Amino acid sequence: MSPFPAWNFREMDRGEINVDPVHDEFFKAQDLADALVREAIQNSLDARRGHSRVRVRFRFAVDDQALAPHVAAKYLRGMQPHLDVVAPHLTSALPDLSGPMPFLLIEDSGTRGLTGDPGSDPELDADDGARNDFYYFWRNVGRTGKGEMDRGRWGLGKAVFSVSSRIHTIFGLTLRADDERRLLLGQSVLKTHILGGHRHAPYGFLAHVGDDSFPHALADAPLLDRFAADFGLQRSEPGLSIVVPFHRDDDLRFEPVVASVVRQYFYPITRGDLVVTVEENGVVETIRGNTIDAIATRY
């Protein structure tokens, strides 16, 4: 059996109000490549570590670079029944989970990663007032811990990551600047659904789930090393790596992402604050101050 836990969708109490996420509606009128590029780089710039240059990497793993079925299976254990139930209500047709898993990897460096106590709720637990990026990224929708001067402070834009997946799912591995811990979580955003006579919450997690149903981040070094190797992460310094399995390749492709980076982030790139790399099947575009003009003429 896989050392990774199975996906867990919390069983809801009988009297709970049923509320389905409406993430798809939020992005329906937007170009998905533009929305993804905007949110991913915006989050990285807001998490900049001191005066470090921020680097963001988009890697399309398709064709022979997709995850082999036997490797992908260990990250999808327990998900198929939940997807089958909600499939008629999802925007995209479900892929074949028994086949290869193409994916989009988005990772940054020069940032602080998702800092803060991963097991706490700073609004319920006594804390020292320190920011908790981990809590606000994984456990909030439409709410944010960003300051008034930060971009994207409404906490909605990050929903584009799950919307970008045909199975509405992401994995996130962070290496944190404050304590040098690596932590991994998977999150799936589906619909409220009934399975086996029980109603399940729309949010599922690949996590260690305790008796209280709280999804604890995975921190076992061998598991995290395996995840990093399987998905080709470059995670030697603090930052966040997000994997979007079965990305929506009709909207998310190499050329539109390059063009969107040039169009939306020309200023921080020319200032030298940001470098963006886009990769697919051995083709690499590195967008920096001394290359952006030439790249702009091609896209």
Side-chain angles (χ1 to χ4, degrees):
M1 180 174 288
S2 170
F4 286 87
W7 281 85
N8 178 269
F9 289 80
R10 179 181 62 84
E11 289 188 13
M12 299 173 64
D13 294 332
R14 187 178 181 88
E16 283 191 59
I17 301 296
N18 301 316
V19 180
D20 284 332
V22 291
H23 298 171
D24 284 330
E25 296 299 321
F26 185 71
F27 293 101
K28 186 171 288 185
Q30 304 181 49
D31 180 277
L32 187 58
D34 276 349
L36 181 64
V37 166
R38 181 174 63 250
E39 177 64 18
I41 297 179
Q42 170 183 297
N43 282 352
S44 297
L45 290 173
D46 285 344
R48 186 179 184 183
R49 192 173 70 253
H51 297 289
S52 299
R53 176 177 294 169
V54 173
R55 296 178 177 272
V56 179
R57 177 191 183 209
F58 294 84
R59 178 194 170 214
F60 291 92
V62 296
D63 301 329
D64 62 350
Q65 294 185 2
L67 224 57
H70 73 280
V71 179
K74 63 188 175 185
Y75 298 107
L76 299 172
R77 191 161 61 92
M79 179 170 280
Q80 185 78 62
H82 297 275
L83 287 172
D84 288 343
V85 170
V86 302
H89 309 289
L90 298 182
T91 302
S92 302
L94 290 181
D96 178 7
L97 298 195
S98 65
M101 178 196 286
F103 63 90
L104 171 59
L105 169 63
I106 308 163
E107 55 183 349
D108 63 26
S109 59
T111 63
R112 60 180 176 265
L114 297 178
T115 58
D117 185 345
S120 82
D121 182 333
E123 298 174 2
L124 292 176
D125 305 332
D127 66 358
D128 57 5
R131 67 184 302 144
N132 195 324
D133 297 326
F134 193 94
Y135 168 78
Y136 280 102
F137 184 85
W138 287 114
R139 312 198 194 283
N140 286 266
V141 176
R143 308 172 73 246
T144 179
K146 290 185 179 182
E148 287 296 316
M149 298 305 293
D150 287 336
R151 297 170 289 272
R153 58 184 183 274
W154 297 112
L156 290 170
K158 66 188 177 188
V160 75
F161 295 119
S162 59
V163 170
S164 296
S165 166
R166 294 188 184 278
I167 59 172
H168 289 231
T169 296
I170 63 170
F171 304 98
L173 185 150
T174 186
L175 173 58
R176 296 130 60 88
D178 56 353
D179 58 12
E180 299 184 347
R181 291 181 68 190
R182 286 188 304 165
L183 300 170
L184 170 66
L185 269 179
Q187 185 181 79
S188 187
V189 185
L190 303 180
K191 301 287 185 181
T192 304
H193 55 285
I194 295 175
L195 184 64
H198 299 279
R199 180 176 285 110
H200 293 265
Y203 293 92
F205 288 90
L206 179 77
H208 290 309
V209 179
D211 294 337
D212 59 355
S213 297
F214 187 90
H216 295 275
L218 308 180
D220 306 310
L223 267 65
L224 272 56
D225 288 343
R226 185 70 265 160
F227 178 86
D230 286 342
F231 289 101
L233 271 57
Q234 296 177 351
R235 180 51 60 212
S236 59
E237 59 177 284
L240 174 63
S241 300
I242 296 175
V243 173
V244 181
F246 298 107
H247 62 285
R248 289 170 51 179
D249 55 3
D250 50 341
D251 296 304
L252 299 172
R253 303 183 307 279
F254 183 93
E255 292 83 1
V257 167
V258 173
S260 184
V261 170
V262 172
R263 184 170 58 252
Q264 297 192 80
Y265 286 99
F266 186 89
Y267 182 63
I269 291 173
T270 55
R271 277 190 49 166
D273 295 331
L274 173 68
V275 175
V276 180
T277 301
V278 185
E279 308 172 18
E280 182 179 271
N281 287 343
V283 179
V284 180
E285 289 283 14
T286 301
I287 310 166
R288 56 181 2 128
N290 62 354
T291 65
I292 191 168
D293 287 338
I295 291 173
T297 62
R298 298 200 302 274
Y299 296 91

